[in-house]
Amino acid sequence: MASNLLKSKYQVNVFDLNVDAVHELCKQGATSVSCPAELAGSADTVITMLPSSRHVKEVYCGNEGLLASRRRGVLYIDCSTIESNYASELSAVCYSSGHEFIDAPVSGGTGGAQNATLTFMVGGEERALERARPLLSAMGKNIIHCGKSGNGQAAKICNNLILGISMSAVSEAFNLGRQMGIDPHVLASVVNSSSGRCWSSETYNPCPGVMEGVPSSRGYTGGFASDLMLKDLLLALQAAADTKMPLPIGSAVAQVYTVMHNKGYGEKDFSSIFEFLSKNKS
Amino acid sequence: MASNLLKSKYQVNVFDLNVDAVHELCKQGATSVSCPAELAGSADTVITMLPSSRHVKEVYCGNEGLLASRRRGVLYIDCSTIESNYASELSAVCYSSGHEFIDAPVSGGTGGAQNATLTFMVGGEERALERARPLLSAMGKNIIHCGKSGNGQAAKICNNLILGISMSAVSEAFNLGRQMGIDPHVLASVVNSSSGRCWSSETYNPCPGVMEGVPSSRGYTGGFASDLMLKDLLLALQAAADTKMPLPIGSAVAQVYTVMHNKGYGEKDFSSIFEFLSKNKS
Amino acid sequence: MASNLLKSKYQVNVFDLNVDAVHELCKQGATSVSCPAELAGSADTVITMLPSSRHVKEVYCGNEGLLASRRRGVLYIDCSTIESNYASELSAVCYSSGHEFIDAPVSGGTGGAQNATLTFMVGGEERALERARPLLSAMGKNIIHCGKSGNGQAAKICNNLILGISMSAVSEAFNLGRQMGIDPHVLASVVNSSSGRCWSSETYNPCPGVMEGVPSSRGYTGGFASDLMLKDLLLALQAAADTKMPLPIGSAVAQVYTVMHNKGYGEKDFSSIFEFLSKNKS
Amino acid sequence: MASNLLKSKYQVNVFDLNVDAVHELCKQGATSVSCPAELAGSADTVITMLPSSRHVKEVYCGNEGLLASRRRGVLYIDCSTIESNYASELSAVCYSSGHEFIDAPVSGGTGGAQNATLTFMVGGEERALERARPLLSAMGKNIIHCGKSGNGQAAKICNNLILGISMSAVSEAFNLGRQMGIDPHVLASVVNSSSGRCWSSETYNPCPGVMEGVPSSRGYTGGFASDLMLKDLLLALQAAADTKMPLPIGSAVAQVYTVMHNKGYGEKDFSSIFEFLSKNKS
């Protein structure tokens, strides 16, 4: 994503705990800074992308964090996938400190990030989104305004809830079909021309051999890790629990990914649920 | 389906316990017969479509059943959705009695039946399928040969397993999104341009108001009843249990549809799982 | 069970596919016969104990089966655990052939069988039960009349449904407790003096080291195999599906045991679900 | 609990938002105070019992909270059921402010509270527990030291995880048994003398008519509300998610109680899951 900003001739200052990543970007024209506060002291816009709300909180509100800078008027764009209600809270903190903020989690995977074809799901004020748009356009293809602050996160976890469940569905069905003696290519042609078709069956089939260039064709490497799918499902379940909304199916899928984490599937692509459920491989 | 055969100028003899249905077809040019055996005594091809394997067994193997006729060389096409292994068994019985047989369950709903756009998933011998093809073409659009006898049934339940699960997924996600304050039209645009897209989200959205002309826009009437989805899920679970194949997600969905059956949702369209899971309506 | 009949001075004729088992009993005083029909030709009472209804059907109704004998007035006692409705059906067949029949599945495990402390759950007519009582008393301690034919089976699977679920409950709780840093002996003392106490926590604790002389203390060997628990849960689920009774929790447990079957736990004691769910062992 | 302290001649100061409850205790000899801080300014020991960690945080750490008092050396006993790791955190805060702290959640229900037969599950230092013991003994019967700070909470949610699951188990089994035609009294006698026996089947049977004096015999009123069981199950699931420990069965039960909340069962006793799952009542 930073590379694509550089390609679009933006001046980019970077901070990351991963020194190699910083070094690589500096070779491409970025400048390294020593702490988040330093970023906020000089940049018009700061883009953050972090593993969880705990890290987001530290980077924004810590002692050397972004909001420790006295400069005002920064546009903050948080591309992390975190709790929707924490995104809202952080937005309020930013506005009360004289800044603007949008939550803008992404979908599209590492491929989308490299090819600048990401989808951004944006929550926040129209004005802030318009200010962010040129930058987002340099990194992605679709920018969808999902409403008020936090709604970008909400849209992201709702989408990934469907994704995790439908990947499970395709994995169960193709395992069952194989067990019943039906060729997986034939089953794919039935499903994809019928009411079972979905993103997982059409573009990311979890059954090895059905499609080329997808994780299932290369030992479930690359792609979107099972542990990350689990993280997103747990965010959905937490949001649901907060309002006592039932998610009987999403919670069953989260449990399968939890067992998978403990059986060595955590870092494999999330379509490896096919292999976990199969009869042929432990 | 019978109407479409009549439109294609086939001579059609009909038998059904529903006298009104028979009467209606006779007005369109069909001839009524008094029992299944009578059909088998005169027709080249017999098409059956029945609620469950119990009925199929009775119609084929009962005292006045199809196979009670002494005529040989009939092509039997069973369009019921039943256990795959019973379809194989019945095929063997038909062949050993000097007939041909294919299992040819359909997808496409009542709309597909009326408009001759059904998909037929066919299990059985190539030769029998070729003999059946002109008739199937008069009633449907896609004819997919899924392999050996029973495989039509296998393909059907694998597809419907995905369908039932992904409908649940979309229902959970759109309920959660609504609860989190995201407009369902916006969520639909996010999901349908992202990895959550599936037949249920794109063409049959269960959230009232998102799409027109679908059951969710008319109180979940019409369409494919929850009880029928439950029937298909139970067929999948039975097939899975026979070979100890796990279906953790499919079984969770089947349990939700079982509760729905007992809470008055059995005859509503299967997308009413959205309403059942919602916080607004009991 | 046969040994205990011999100890009570009954004359015992035996038939089994396992020649070693037959040989061992003959050493204890039993007489071997060549087929089930031969048993029915000479004995007053025939006791059957078989893996599934398929085997029961063959042994009773096959060509050389029990009912092939022309002798009348036999009391049949079926101790197998099978479908309740098949037990009723078989009872009707036996009575219409001039015999008496009870279904009398057991609980108490191999230990109960050896020590003549089994519990018999009996379905059928009072008169037949009274005729059977001396024999049952020679093999077990509790004889509970559960009502009409098939009810012995019904009681058995209802009990084992609770057993399978509560074993899962104890396994989840003791794993979670361990993860949270609580000593399993302390947790056992809390649970067993509180509302969590159950047969599994008190007499068969699945957490290694909490109790001696139970399968968890010897690598989950001995005891009641996971695959047998799965069989009983599937019987419960089948009976429930027949009347559209929801079993959301029982079905989730059955799915865990199905995954366990495929991951090498099938022959281990059913309390090995503790190990399967734990974080320490794959 | 406060009444029992008064009966044991302790001097009791009380604070509660419920004015009637305070008034009633004052009639029994207690003295009312105006805020938590005032309690901490005069008492040797402060016992708190609050709905959730949010309330606990406010009462301890709020502006007029307990820790706002400058007095040192207070023994705090928190009897709330809350997150184990928040209890540990709060303990550290109390100790660093010169106080002592134990977490001491209870089991035994309103009956146990009235009759001073509660069980206290205590987490914290031995010394603090010994200081608390006379007070706890005035309110309960069993005092179990579960280890370090937070372990009282851990033991409580592990126990209630088993309780929620086994109540579901008994409810499924007794519904299934009734459907299969077995008398619930007979089933109870089978289960309670066999491996299905548990606290729920023996002392709190959820099937109306089996036992007297339990919530199921009075329309599921009194007892322990479904929403409270849901709260405890969610605490268990949160603790499990924190360490990626699977709880496939506990999570399925939590989902059922979530649906029940939305269908009007939230305030009924938690054994009403029997009614929710039954075929006879919606």
Side-chain angles (χ1 to χ4, degrees):
Chain A
M1 291 167 71
S3 294
N4 284 323
L5 289 174
L6 288 165
K7 280 181 201 153
S8 291
K9 308 297 176 198
Y10 283 99
Q11 186 184 332
V12 180
N13 297 339
V14 293
F15 176 77
D16 201 302
L17 296 181
N18 180 338
V19 179
D20 291 344
V22 170
H23 189 66
E24 174 59 31
L25 283 169
C26 289
K27 283 199 293 187
Q28 295 173 30
T31 305
S32 159
V33 300
S34 62
C35 69
E38 194 182 334
L39 281 177
S42 58
D44 293 324
T45 306
V46 176
I47 300 171
T48 51
M49 188 142 206
L50 294 151
S52 77
S53 54
R54 192 165 57 80
H55 306 89
V56 171
K57 191 174 189 176
E58 172 131 1
V59 163
Y60 278 81
C61 306
N63 282 337
E64 296 200 311
L66 294 164
L67 298 178
S69 161
R70 284 202 227 146
R71 208 153 138 270
R72 292 291 169 266
V74 177
L75 168 64
Y76 289 109
I77 303 173
D78 183 34
C79 294
S80 317
T81 297
I82 59 167
E83 289 84 351
S84 169
N85 49 16
Y86 184 65
S88 307
E89 239 179 72
L90 184 56
S91 174
V93 169
C94 287
Y95 275 94
S96 75
S97 305
H99 304 291
E100 292 185 294
F101 178 91
I102 56 173
D103 49 295
V106 302
S107 81
T110 48
Q114 275 158 13
N115 306 324
T117 57
L118 291 170
T119 293
F120 288 94
M121 289 156 275
V122 178
E125 294 190 9
E126 191 73 41
R127 207 186 94 145
L129 169 54
E130 288 320 311
R131 187 171 160 195
R133 193 178 291 276
L135 287 147
L136 300 181
S137 299
M139 301 182 290
K141 206 174 57 176
N142 296 304
I143 301 164
I144 306 179
H145 191 195
C146 302
K148 68 180 197 301
S149 185
N151 274 15
Q153 300 296 346
K156 169 78 185 277
I157 65 165
C158 288
N159 180 77
N160 280 19
L161 175 61
I162 301 177
L163 174 60
I165 298 176
S166 55
M167 179 55 82
S168 308
V170 174
S171 296
E172 288 192 355
F174 276 71
N175 267 308
L176 179 60
R178 193 168 63 172
Q179 203 67 21
M180 296 177 82
I182 183 165
D183 182 283
H185 292 90
V186 171
L187 184 55
S189 75
V190 169
V191 166
N192 289 335
S193 67
S194 186
S195 51
R197 72 173 167 77
C198 57
W199 185 89
S200 297
S201 68
E202 289 182 317
T203 72
Y204 208 92
N205 202 293
C207 177
V210 171
M211 294 180 70
E212 293 188 5
V214 292
S216 63
S217 69
R218 49 176 191 257
Y220 300 107
T221 57
F224 183 58
S226 295
D227 274 353
L228 291 176
M229 175 49 80
L230 175 56
K231 177 199 156 190
D232 289 1
L233 292 170
L234 290 175
L235 286 173
L237 285 163
Q238 187 56 55
D242 288 347
T243 55
K244 290 188 178 156
M245 166 68 62
L247 295 183
I249 310 311
S251 84
V253 174
Q255 290 297 325
V256 175
Y257 278 107
T258 305
V259 173
M260 286 171 64
H261 169 83
N262 293 314
K263 303 297 179 200
Y265 285 83
E267 296 178 16
K268 291 192 183 189
D269 181 72
F270 80 115
S271 63
S272 63
I273 189 173
F274 176 88
E275 184 181 288
F276 175 72
L277 294 174
S278 76
K279 294 185 66 66
N280 302 335
K281 249 194 147 161
S282 66
Chain B
M1 289 168 71
S3 293
N4 284 324
L5 290 174
L6 288 164
K7 280 181 201 153
S8 291
K9 308 297 176 200
Y10 283 99
Q11 185 184 332
V12 181
N13 297 340
V14 293
F15 176 77
D16 200 304
L17 297 180
N18 180 339
V19 179
D20 291 345
V22 170
H23 189 65
E24 174 59 32
L25 283 169
C26 289
K27 283 199 293 185
Q28 295 173 31
T31 305
S32 160
V33 301
S34 63
C35 70
E38 194 182 334
L39 281 176
S42 59
D44 293 324
T45 306
V46 176
I47 300 171
T48 51
M49 187 143 205
L50 294 152
S52 76
S53 54
R54 193 167 55 81
H55 305 90
V56 171
K57 190 173 189 177
E58 171 128 3
V59 164
Y60 278 81
C61 307
N63 282 338
E64 295 199 313
L66 294 164
L67 299 178
S69 160
R70 283 203 230 144
R71 206 152 141 274
R72 292 291 169 266
V74 177
L75 168 64
Y76 289 110
I77 302 174
D78 183 33
C79 295
S80 317
T81 297
I82 58 166
E83 289 84 351
S84 169
N85 50 16
Y86 184 65
S88 307
E89 240 178 70
L90 184 57
S91 174
V93 170
C94 287
Y95 276 93
S96 73
S97 305
H99 304 291
E100 291 184 295
F101 178 91
I102 57 172
D103 49 297
V106 302
S107 81
T110 48
Q114 274 158 15
N115 305 323
T117 57
L118 291 170
T119 294
F120 287 95
M121 289 155 274
V122 179
E125 294 190 7
E126 192 73 40
R127 209 187 93 144
L129 169 54
E130 288 319 312
R131 187 171 160 196
R133 193 177 291 277
L135 287 147
L136 300 181
S137 299
M139 301 182 289
K141 206 175 55 175
N142 296 305
I143 300 164
I144 305 179
H145 190 194
C146 302
K148 69 180 196 301
S149 185
N151 274 13
Q153 300 295 348
K156 170 78 184 278
I157 65 164
C158 288
N159 181 74
N160 280 18
L161 174 62
I162 301 177
L163 175 60
I165 298 176
S166 55
M167 179 56 82
S168 307
V170 173
S171 295
E172 289 193 353
F174 275 72
N175 266 309
L176 179 60
R178 193 167 66 171
Q179 202 67 22
M180 295 177 85
I182 183 165
D183 182 283
H185 292 91
V186 171
L187 184 55
S189 76
V190 169
V191 166
N192 289 335
S193 66
S194 186
S195 51
R197 73 174 167 74
C198 57
W199 185 89
S200 297
S201 69
E202 289 183 316
T203 73
Y204 209 91
N205 201 292
C207 178
V210 171
M211 294 180 70
E212 292 188 6
V214 292
S216 63
S217 69
R218 50 177 192 256
Y220 300 106
T221 57
F224 183 58
S226 295
D227 275 353
L228 291 175
M229 175 49 81
L230 175 55
K231 176 199 154 190
D232 289 2
L233 291 170
L234 291 174
L235 287 173
L237 285 163
Q238 188 56 55
D242 289 347
T243 54
K244 292 191 177 151
M245 165 68 61
L247 294 184
I249 311 310
S251 84
V253 174
Q255 290 297 325
V256 175
Y257 277 106
T258 305
V259 172
M260 287 172 63
H261 169 83
N262 292 313
K263 303 296 179 197
Y265 285 83
E267 295 178 15
K268 292 191 183 189
D269 180 72
F270 81 115
S271 64
S272 63
I273 189 173
F274 176 88
E275 184 182 290
F276 174 73
L277 293 175
S278 77
K279 293 186 66 68
N280 303 333
K281 254 195 145 159
S282 66
Chain C
M1 291 167 72
S3 293
N4 284 324
L5 290 173
L6 288 164
K7 282 179 200 155
S8 291
K9 310 295 175 198
Y10 284 100
Q11 185 184 333
V12 181
N13 297 338
V14 293
F15 176 77
D16 200 302
L17 296 181
N18 180 339
V19 179
D20 290 344
V22 170
H23 189 66
E24 174 59 31
L25 284 169
C26 289
K27 284 198 292 184
Q28 295 173 31
T31 306
S32 160
V33 302
S34 64
C35 70
E38 194 182 335
L39 282 177
S42 59
D44 293 323
T45 307
V46 175
I47 300 172
T48 51
M49 187 144 205
L50 295 151
S52 76
S53 54
R54 191 164 57 80
H55 306 89
V56 172
K57 191 174 188 176
E58 172 129 1
V59 163
Y60 278 80
C61 307
N63 282 339
E64 297 200 310
L66 295 163
L67 299 177
S69 161
R70 284 204 227 144
R71 208 151 139 275
R72 292 293 169 264
V74 177
L75 167 64
Y76 288 109
I77 302 174
D78 183 34
C79 295
S80 317
T81 297
I82 58 166
E83 289 84 351
S84 169
N85 50 16
Y86 184 64
S88 308
E89 238 178 73
L90 184 56
S91 174
V93 170
C94 287
Y95 276 94
S96 74
S97 306
H99 304 291
E100 292 185 293
F101 178 93
I102 56 171
D103 49 296
V106 302
S107 81
T110 48
Q114 275 158 12
N115 306 323
T117 58
L118 291 170
T119 293
F120 288 94
M121 289 156 274
V122 177
E125 295 190 7
E126 192 72 40
R127 207 187 92 145
L129 169 54
E130 289 319 312
R131 187 172 161 195
R133 194 178 290 276
L135 287 147
L136 300 181
S137 298
M139 300 182 289
K141 204 175 57 174
N142 296 304
I143 300 165
I144 305 178
H145 190 196
C146 302
K148 67 179 198 299
S149 184
N151 275 14
Q153 300 295 348
K156 168 79 184 277
I157 65 164
C158 288
N159 180 76
N160 279 17
L161 174 62
I162 300 177
L163 174 60
I165 298 176
S166 55
M167 179 55 82
S168 308
V170 174
S171 295
E172 288 193 355
F174 275 72
N175 267 308
L176 178 60
R178 193 167 64 173
Q179 202 67 22
M180 295 177 85
I182 184 165
D183 182 283
H185 292 90
V186 172
L187 185 55
S189 75
V190 170
V191 165
N192 289 336
S193 66
S194 185
S195 51
R197 72 174 167 75
C198 56
W199 185 89
S200 297
S201 68
E202 289 182 316
T203 72
Y204 210 91
N205 201 292
C207 177
V210 171
M211 294 179 71
E212 292 189 5
V214 292
S216 63
S217 69
R218 50 176 190 255
Y220 300 106
T221 55
F224 184 56
S226 296
D227 275 353
L228 291 176
M229 175 49 80
L230 175 55
K231 175 199 157 191
D232 289 1
L233 291 170
L234 291 174
L235 286 173
L237 285 163
Q238 187 56 54
D242 288 347
T243 55
K244 291 188 178 157
M245 167 68 61
L247 295 184
I249 311 311
S251 83
V253 175
Q255 290 297 324
V256 175
Y257 278 105
T258 305
V259 172
M260 285 171 65
H261 169 83
N262 292 312
K263 304 296 180 200
Y265 285 83
E267 295 179 17
K268 292 192 184 188
D269 180 71
F270 80 117
S271 64
S272 63
I273 187 172
F274 176 88
E275 183 181 291
F276 175 72
L277 294 174
S278 78
K279 293 185 67 67
N280 302 335
K281 252 194 145 161
S282 65
Chain D
M1 292 167 71
S3 293
N4 285 324
L5 290 174
L6 288 165
K7 280 180 202 154
S8 291
K9 307 301 176 195
Y10 283 99
Q11 186 184 331
V12 181
N13 297 339
V14 293
F15 176 78
D16 200 303
L17 297 180
N18 180 339
V19 180
D20 290 346
V22 170
H23 190 67
E24 175 58 31
L25 284 169
C26 289
K27 284 198 291 186
Q28 295 173 31
T31 305
S32 159
V33 301
S34 62
C35 68
E38 195 183 333
L39 281 176
S42 59
D44 293 324
T45 306
V46 176
I47 300 172
T48 51
M49 188 143 204
L50 295 151
S52 76
S53 54
R54 193 166 55 80
H55 305 89
V56 172
K57 190 174 189 177
E58 172 130 1
V59 163
Y60 277 81
C61 307
N63 281 337
E64 297 198 313
L66 294 164
L67 299 178
S69 161
R70 282 200 230 146
R71 207 151 140 275
R72 291 294 169 265
V74 178
L75 168 64
Y76 289 109
I77 302 174
D78 183 34
C79 295
S80 316
T81 297
I82 58 167
E83 289 84 352
S84 169
N85 50 17
Y86 184 64
S88 307
E89 239 177 71
L90 184 55
S91 175
V93 170
C94 287
Y95 275 94
S96 73
S97 305
H99 304 290
E100 292 185 293
F101 178 93
I102 57 172
D103 51 296
V106 303
S107 82
T110 50
Q114 274 157 16
N115 305 324
T117 58
L118 291 170
T119 293
F120 288 95
M121 289 155 273
V122 178
E125 295 189 7
E126 192 72 40
R127 207 187 94 143
L129 169 54
E130 287 319 312
R131 187 172 160 195
R133 193 177 292 275
L135 288 147
L136 300 181
S137 298
M139 300 182 290
K141 208 175 53 175
N142 296 305
I143 300 165
I144 306 179
H145 190 195
C146 303
K148 68 180 195 301
S149 185
N151 274 16
Q153 300 297 346
K156 170 78 184 278
I157 65 165
C158 288
N159 180 76
N160 280 18
L161 174 62
I162 300 177
L163 174 60
I165 298 176
S166 56
M167 179 55 83
S168 308
V170 174
S171 295
E172 288 192 355
F174 276 71
N175 266 309
L176 179 60
R178 193 167 66 172
Q179 202 68 22
M180 295 177 85
I182 183 166
D183 182 282
H185 292 91
V186 172
L187 184 56
S189 76
V190 169
V191 165
N192 289 336
S193 66
S194 184
S195 51
R197 73 173 168 76
C198 56
W199 185 89
S200 296
S201 68
E202 289 181 317
T203 73
Y204 209 92
N205 201 293
C207 177
V210 171
M211 294 179 72
E212 291 188 6
V214 292
S216 63
S217 69
R218 50 176 190 257
Y220 300 106
T221 56
F224 183 57
S226 295
D227 275 353
L228 291 176
M229 176 49 82
L230 175 56
K231 176 200 154 189
D232 289 0
L233 291 170
L234 291 175
L235 286 173
L237 285 163
Q238 187 57 55
D242 288 347
T243 54
K244 291 189 177 154
M245 166 69 59
L247 296 183
I249 310 312
S251 83
V253 174
Q255 291 297 324
V256 175
Y257 278 106
T258 304
V259 172
M260 286 171 65
H261 170 83
N262 293 313
K263 304 297 180 197
Y265 285 83
E267 295 178 15
K268 292 192 183 188
D269 180 71
F270 81 115
S271 64
S272 63
I273 188 172
F274 177 88
E275 184 182 290
F276 174 72
L277 293 175
S278 78
K279 293 186 66 68
N280 301 336
K281 251 196 143 159
S282 66

